[in-house]
Amino acid sequence: MSARPILRLGTVKNVSGFQQHLQSLGLTIPCDHELLTGAESPLRQPLVRGDIKIGNRIVVHPMEGWDGSLDGNPSDHTVRRWQRFGRSGAKLIWGGEAVAVSHEARANPNQLVAAAHTEQGLARLRATLIEEHRLTAGSDDGLLIGLQLTDSGRYSRPNAHGRPEPRILYHHPFLDRRLGLPANYPVLTDAEIEAIIENFHKAALLAWRLGFDFVDIKHCHGYLGHEFLSAHTRAGRYGGSFENRTRFLREVVEGIGSAAPQLKIAVRLSAIDSVPFHPDPAKSFNGKLGPGIPEPYEHDVPYRWGFGVNALDPTESNLNEPVRFLSLLEQLGIRLVNITAGSPYYNPHLQRPALYPPSDGYLPPEDPLFSVARQMEATRRLKQQFPHLIFVGTGYSYLQDFLPHVAQAALREGWVDMVGLGRMVLTYPELLWDASDGRNIERKRICRTFSDCTTAPRKGLPSGCYPLDSFYKDSELMTQLTIAKKH
Ligand SMILES: Cc1cc2nc3c(=O)[nH]c(=O)nc-3n(C[C@H](O)[C@H](O)[C@H](O)COP(=O)(O)O)c2cc1C
Ligand code: SF4
């Protein structure tokens, strides 16, 4: 842990105190003193770019729930979550959650699947969300709803929680070791990749038939789309050169263009990354996790297994290739981009800045505001270079009480086009709606980054806000989580 104790943001009395804290850390994060309301609020400005019309600047990030049925249909838990996504008032729903393009592509045995037998279930999710959205926002004008399409690749676990079934593109010196993969573990063949691409085409067509406005071809968090981008060491058509590493995206987009030409395409991208982290063994005692430290990488430099990282110092990011990737998106006619970072599996402090670690994580290696700032700064720099793309920003939940102030300032100062909420939606979906409506913020509903929504799935339980949402807090699930955490 950093020498200085991390200040809990819940104890910071006001915006000035927060700004002073940022200053003491030497961080530049925009933050407005006063919140504007109604049509004056940057959060409520519509956004129009070509044929894309979005009614306000609030976004719900995709969040998987591990609570579908074994055949990939939504359960009542899933429906409740989508209802709450709708209640947020957000006019851009970025995918709801990762939906697998086939059974084998699932990250867990309860993940949703896009298939003929789940059509009605997925349609119900969309309809429920729209209905609830109308109650908050008055109408569904300017509401854009996408489906996030995924193949979980290295993190596939389709059949049993305790049985990983990784589908890898290349051998990664650190991640293979974590998964216990032997040197001769098979990599996906080009023919298998072609079949996966077809699955994406079919899933996109299904999304189009169900009335979704766009599909996100997920390229983040260590899943398959993201792994393609770092497949420097893979031989053949899908590895090596930048052109080969982006062939998957191009072929997916090409097929969707033929099957459903009106369907919009979006990409969620881990634009920055670092080497995997683990708890410092010298500081982990009595079952308590130590602070995160990077895997020793000195013998693996130049680092050839990352995307958006500096090959000579892979704890640092480098935007050269992400910039090339965004140019490619522009060429392909893709305008919706959601910028995220790293992976919840190997560097969660970067991906979901939090004060409390998930069960398979580590204590924060530094004040989590550094990772908030990293995600915001990378997005700002990319947006400056691509003014015509629509950028959604990520990593805001850690800002807690000051999230609305930062979101407003980031929009006003043009750091980002839209602000996305992840964990905060699980506990307080209406936060930004309330803030831009001039209502009192309900402090007891603010996400304090306890990470139980990440720990629960790691223990094979549905995701949700166990500490703050009474649906979980007062249920048998809470008891199960408490028991699971002890083992
Ligand atoms: C329980 C949980 C499930 C998530 N599932 C997904 C997912 O399905 N797809 C995705 O792109 N990101 C997923 N994420 C990441 C979030 O979308 C978001 O990037 C992250 O939580 C950081 O944003 P925040 O600070 O607002 O929480 C998930 C996060 C959590 C906490
Ligand atoms: S469990 Fe609740 S409070 Fe904790 S990080 Fe998740 S949403 Fe936030």
Side-chain angles (χ1 to χ4, degrees), residues 354 397 422-427 446-454 464-469:
S397 290
R423 291 162 294 179
M424 192 65 81
V425 168
L426 298 179
T427 159
I446 286 185
C447 166
R448 298 292 174 198
T449 67
F450 294 122
S451 291
D452 279 358
C453 49
T454 304
C465 183
Y466 286 68
L468 301 180
D469 181 346

Side-chain angles (χ1 to χ4, degrees), residues 121-122 153 174 196 258 286 313 327 371 403 408 457 482 486:
L122 296 176
F174 305 146
I196 290 172
S258 314
N286 302 331
D313 177 359
S327 299
S371 279
L403 193 164
Q408 175 178 299
T482 311
K486 290 189 183 137

Side-chain angles (χ1 to χ4, degrees), residues 218-427:
K218 185 173 186 177
H219 275 72
C220 58
H221 304 163
Y223 296 108
L224 192 77
H226 187 206
E227 183 151 311
F228 272 108
L229 299 180
S230 59
H232 298 273
T233 56
R234 184 186 167 92
R237 298 177 69 234
Y238 294 97
S241 66
F242 179 79
E243 202 201 347
N244 283 353
R245 287 180 282 122
T246 53
R247 189 181 303 282
F248 165 77
L249 171 73
R250 283 183 279 113
E251 292 184 351
V252 168
V253 169
E254 199 177 293
I256 296 176
S258 314
Q262 308 283 319
L263 180 67
K264 293 180 181 47
I265 300 178
V267 169
R268 191 160 205 225
L269 175 70
S270 281
I272 54 173
D273 207 343
S274 83
V275 287
F277 272 57
H278 64 259
D280 185 348
K283 295 185 181 157
S284 306
F285 301 106
N286 302 331
K288 294 240 168 6
L289 297 167
I293 53 169
E295 294 274 350
Y297 57 84
E298 292 72 15
H299 299 299
D300 294 296
V301 167
Y303 191 72
R304 299 173 72 215
W305 307 275
F307 176 79
V309 299
N310 176 348
L312 298 178
D313 177 359
T315 58
E316 298 284 326
S317 61
N318 181 309
L319 289 178
N320 290 350
E321 281 224 325
V323 165
R324 270 183 94 179
F325 186 78
L326 293 184
S327 299
L328 174 64
L329 295 189
E330 273 199 328
Q331 281 163 32
L332 294 172
I334 294 173
R335 272 165 299 163
L336 283 163
V337 189
N338 186 326
I339 299 298
T340 170
S343 162
Y345 295 102
Y346 60 77
N347 47 25
H349 75 287
L350 179 61
Q351 205 276 313
R352 321 188 165 159
L355 193 55
Y356 304 91
S359 58
D360 62 345
Y362 41 79
L363 289 176
E366 60 190 354
D367 192 306
L369 283 168
F370 280 93
S371 279
V372 175
R374 271 185 201 109
Q375 295 201 39
M376 289 186 70
E377 174 62 15
T379 312
R380 183 181 75 87
R381 286 176 52 198
L382 292 170
K383 174 156 174 57
Q384 277 175 345
Q385 295 201 44
F386 296 91
H388 301 299
L389 295 180
I390 299 171
F391 281 90
V392 175
T394 300
Y396 285 69
S397 290
Y398 183 75
L399 294 160
Q400 303 168 47
D401 309 66
F402 309 104
L403 193 164
H405 304 78
V406 172
Q408 175 178 299
L411 290 168
R412 203 177 42 68
E413 294 184 18
W415 283 48
V416 70
D417 295 296
M418 310 201 59
V419 171
L421 298 188
R423 291 162 294 179
M424 192 65 81
V425 168
L426 298 179
T427 159

